[in-house]
Amino acid sequence: MEGIEHKYIQVNGLKLHVAETGSGNSPVVVFLHGFPEIWYSWRRQMMAVAKAGYRAIAPDFRGYGLSDQPPQPEKTTFLDLTKDILALLDALNISKVFLVGKDFGTIVISRFVTLYEERVSGFIVMGVPFLPPGPLEFKGLPEGFYVSRFGEPGRAEADFGRLDAKTVVRNIYILFSRSEIPIANENQEIMDIVQPSTPLPPWFSEEDLSAYGALYENSGFRTALQVPYRSLHEQLDITDPTVHVPSLFIMGEKDYFLKFPGIKDYISSEILRSLVPNMQMVNLAEGTHFVQEQLPDEVNQLVLEFLTKNSKLQ
């Protein structure tokens, strides 16, 4: 994409692919992707914040896209990804950042802010709220629940392996843009839920699909299945997970994640507000799981308002 530069940064023994735009002397905004996304999912936000005078950086996590695969993908953890971000900031001599994340990128941000709050000016999360470090379990859903299926070693590999990477990404984008949790029947695989004739979401072009397909063709899904899906039980012992930096939580009201057991209650609870007392919450009525790609203008405005407000407090 024009205006975005690409480089590789050595962190923790691996080369991370980093997309970057904006002035080197400006406040820094680091964007962290989810699944099945990649740095490319933040392209419109990166251009918007750069135009407003910020420096935008979006890495591919280890094992994703153009970044190196870890030596043992099956042992990769959320903490590894968190430490990669710390090492990236150190390598680039960045002392403090704004963090923006979506989907499991939120889990990385939650861990990063909890461990290294002094390095964070503020953070924005989308689709998934701030989550205190600790195991995540979603009880009461059928056996065909996609998180359970993706978490079962070998099953998703066999399911995905029947298709090329571009088709896997296509199917997941279609599934995750709906308002219902993806659940397969007992004798059905997750990829079979989507029919070949099902159209892409109207905001997701064939050009976008080709970009994602090429990146996942390069990396495969080995690390992507480990983190997030096979790392959700990861334990991180932190005495006090409360964070005090300013934060913004953007939620699409048609995001299927809201139907996960306990999520609506957690979002509206005093528990979340006590963990992140300086949190602002914004709901987008038509927003689905991919709000930053589906509704870039609305999301860009919210991001820029947050950055402007909290940059002045530095």
Side-chain angles (χ1 to χ4, degrees), residues 232-303:
L232 294 174
H233 299 294
E234 184 180 326
Q235 182 67 51
L236 190 61
D237 293 322
I238 292 179
T239 306
D240 181 9
T242 307
V243 297
H244 297 279
V245 293
S247 65
L248 171 64
F249 174 36
I250 301 172
M251 190 74 210
E253 293 185 10
K254 294 184 178 180
D255 190 330
Y256 72 89
F257 185 68
L258 286 172
K259 295 183 178 177
F260 277 40
I263 290 300
K264 275 189 177 180
D265 289 342
Y266 173 68
I267 289 172
S268 61
S269 73
E270 288 302 315
I271 297 172
L272 176 57
R273 295 192 176 278
S274 68
L275 289 169
V276 197
N278 293 314
M279 178 187 69
Q280 175 191 0
M281 192 181 305
V282 176
N283 293 322
L284 298 178
E286 296 302 314
T288 62
H289 192 61
F290 300 102
V291 285
Q292 86 281 21
E293 294 186 274
Q294 176 198 7
L295 303 169
D297 293 341
E298 291 92 324
V299 168
N300 289 352
Q301 183 178 345
L302 290 168
V303 168

Side-chain angles (χ1 to χ4, degrees), residues 76-292:
T76 304
T77 66
F78 281 112
L79 188 58
D80 290 333
L81 272 55
T82 304
K83 290 182 176 179
D84 285 349
I85 300 307
L86 179 66
L88 178 64
L89 299 184
D90 290 343
L92 295 174
N93 295 312
I94 298 169
S95 60
K96 210 162 187 177
V97 294
F98 289 98
L99 294 173
V100 182
K102 179 199 162 285
D103 188 66
F104 86 84
T106 286
I107 300 178
V108 177
I109 287 179
S110 299
R111 280 159 169 69
F112 190 95
V113 180
T114 305
L115 291 168
Y116 312 113
E117 188 170 6
E118 72 280 359
R119 303 292 295 270
V120 181
S121 299
F123 66 93
I124 301 172
V125 292
M126 305 177 197
V128 175
F130 173 90
L131 295 167
L136 286 173
E137 286 189 89
F138 303 105
K139 298 179 179 178
L141 288 166
E143 174 273 336
F145 175 41
Y146 81 96
V147 173
S148 300
R149 291 286 186 87
F150 289 177
E152 182 182 337
R155 184 153 192 171
E157 286 88 340
D159 188 13
F160 292 3
R162 300 173 296 151
L163 309 167
D164 60 29
K166 182 178 177 180
T167 305
V168 173
V169 173
R170 171 191 174 275
N171 290 352
I172 296 175
Y173 253 85
I174 289 169
L175 286 173
F176 285 10
S177 65
R178 295 172 176 171
S179 298
E180 299 300 323
I181 299 173
I183 297 174
N185 296 324
E186 185 177 350
N187 297 315
Q188 180 186 44
E189 298 302 326
I190 298 297
M191 290 293 100
D192 296 328
I193 300 174
V194 180
Q195 299 301 313
S197 59
T198 305
L200 289 167
W203 42 265
F204 193 72
S205 70
E206 286 290 340
E207 181 183 359
D208 296 332
L209 179 58
S210 294
Y212 281 106
L215 291 166
Y216 275 99
E217 190 69 40
N218 181 74
S219 65
F221 297 95
R222 193 174 168 192
T223 304
L225 288 167
Q226 173 63 24
V227 181
Y229 298 104
R230 297 169 189 171
S231 303
L232 294 174
H233 299 294
E234 184 180 326
Q235 182 67 51
L236 190 61
D237 293 322
I238 292 179
T239 306
D240 181 9
T242 307
V243 297
H244 297 279
V245 293
S247 65
L248 171 64
F249 174 36
I250 301 172
M251 190 74 210
E253 293 185 10
K254 294 184 178 180
D255 190 330
Y256 72 89
F257 185 68
L258 286 172
K259 295 183 178 177
F260 277 40
I263 290 300
K264 275 189 177 180
D265 289 342
Y266 173 68
I267 289 172
S268 61
S269 73
E270 288 302 315
I271 297 172
L272 176 57
R273 295 192 176 278
S274 68
L275 289 169
V276 197
N278 293 314
M279 178 187 69
Q280 175 191 0
M281 192 181 305
V282 176
N283 293 322
L284 298 178
E286 296 302 314
T288 62
H289 192 61
F290 300 102
V291 285
Q292 86 281 21

Side-chain angles (χ1 to χ4, degrees), residues 7-27:
K7 62 180 71 172
Y8 290 88
I9 307 294
Q10 192 80 17
V11 301
N12 297 326
L14 299 172
K15 286 187 298 182
L16 289 193
H17 168 254
V18 174
E20 181 174 351
T21 186
S23 171
N25 298 319
S26 304

